[in-house]
Amino acid sequence: MGNTPNGVFEWVLFIAREYSDLFITGTIITLAVAVIGTLIGFVLGFVMGIVEDTKIDEDDNIVWKVILGLLKGICKIYIEIFRDTPMIVQAMIIYFGIRQCGFEIDPIAAGIIVTTLNTGAYMAETVRGGIKSIDVGQREGALAMGMSPVSVMLFIVLPQAFKNIIPEMVNMFLTNLKMTSVLNVIGVKELFLQAKTAGGTYYKYLESYLTIAVIYFVLCFVFNRLFLLLEKKIAGKKDYVLAVEHMDNNE
């Protein structure tokens, strides 16, 4: 091994250099699981948020009432289960449950499924709240102009709701980025499991975990700043002048 490192800092540098391939692989897998699981989870959350927000009217067709009522019930049960149980337990149940049913599943695929279902459960409530934050008068006005309820939702409500829930979407992604660490229990070779492997060689677990702590911090810091820039871009300029004010000033 050459000169033996002295002190925690030297060991951190040594382990980071010696096991750089493991940490790079772990980072890639962590990002892949977090990004894919979060994106699919967002879509799932949006769909369920819309279902939960859709009202059952007395004039609706009986078949539609039954279908919508059933969907609402499924959404409520699903959301409660995944919001009220730990992600690490969900991972164990889904991974070993699928395998016990006779199906082979890759740990990474199972990790993405867990992340997706977890994200969908939390985003459903966020989307529902975002939709309710939009002034009801806008919906009523659009319906009065002849727009269908679906068109109102797609072109009037959702674009505005999307802006309102961007901060929560960002927080969800950053949470998923860190929560992938629990997926080591089903064999996903993300950062935490790679750090455990690297630390076991020299029994320098503290130094190995400090290494991935730095990696997690850098990832979250960079993505947080990128999302803040995106949020500002979507929000648009704040130094605009209303057309009415401009006309008044010219008179």
Side-chain angles (χ1 to χ4, degrees):
M1 185 174 71
N3 294 328
T4 304
N6 293 314
V8 174
F9 182 69
E10 286 189 14
W11 270 108
V12 168
L13 293 177
F14 174 79
I15 290 176
R17 182 175 63 251
E18 189 79 2
Y19 296 98
S20 58
D21 290 345
L22 286 181
F23 292 125
I24 290 171
T25 301
T27 301
I28 292 172
I29 292 175
T30 294
L31 285 172
V33 172
V35 171
I36 297 172
T38 304
L39 288 176
I40 301 175
F42 284 161
V43 176
L44 181 60
F46 264 97
V47 172
M48 290 193 299
I50 293 172
V51 169
E52 286 212 300
D53 183 72
T54 304
K55 293 179 176 58
I56 300 176
D57 295 325
E58 293 182 1
D59 298 332
D60 288 339
N61 183 284
I62 184 64
V63 176
W64 172 244
K65 286 182 179 181
V66 172
I67 293 174
L68 187 56
L70 185 61
L71 288 175
K72 282 178 174 288
I74 292 173
C75 286
K76 287 184 182 298
I77 293 171
Y78 159 72
I79 291 170
E80 286 299 325
I81 289 175
F82 279 87
R83 284 174 66 95
D84 298 338
T85 55
M87 186 172 174
I88 190 171
V89 176
Q90 297 165 13
M92 299 286 278
I93 291 173
I94 289 174
Y95 179 67
F96 291 108
I98 291 175
R99 290 177 66 88
Q100 194 165 314
C101 290
F103 299 99
E104 288 295 324
I105 184 170
D106 184 80
I108 295 177
I112 291 174
I113 292 173
V114 174
T115 306
T116 296
L117 294 175
N118 217 272
T119 301
Y122 281 94
M123 285 306 301
E125 291 299 297
T126 301
V127 170
R128 189 168 67 89
I131 291 173
K132 287 189 177 297
S133 69
I134 306 304
D135 184 15
V136 179
Q138 294 189 38
R139 292 198 201 188
E140 295 174 347
L143 291 171
M145 292 175 63
M147 293 182 69
S148 67
V150 175
S151 297
V152 172
M153 180 61 71
L154 290 177
F155 301 111
I156 305 295
V157 178
L158 285 184
Q160 296 181 78
F162 179 76
K163 288 184 179 181
N164 293 341
I165 65 177
I166 284 178
E168 185 57 33
M169 291 172 65
V170 172
N171 289 335
M172 194 73 238
F173 171 72
L174 296 178
T175 298
N176 286 342
L177 197 60
K178 292 174 285 188
M179 286 300 292
T180 53
S181 59
V182 306
L183 299 176
N184 75 92
V185 297
I186 59 172
V188 179
K189 295 180 179 178
E190 40 65 60
L191 271 172
F192 184 85
L193 188 57
Q194 301 289 23
K196 190 176 180 180
T197 302
T201 306
Y202 299 99
Y203 297 101
K204 292 293 182 179
Y205 292 104
L206 171 62
E207 291 79 359
S208 185
Y209 292 138
L210 283 173
T211 302
I212 65 167
V214 172
I215 296 174
Y216 278 123
F217 175 81
V218 171
L219 288 175
C220 291
F221 182 85
V222 170
F223 277 111
N224 193 35
R225 293 301 177 275
L226 289 175
F227 284 129
L228 285 174
L229 291 174
L230 177 63
E231 188 178 347
K232 289 181 180 178
K233 187 74 174 176
I234 293 176
K237 296 182 178 180
K238 296 184 180 296
D239 57 345
Y240 57 83
V241 178
L242 292 175
V244 176
E245 295 178 1
H246 183 70
M247 291 174 62
D248 291 340
N249 291 333
N250 290 336
E251 290 180 355

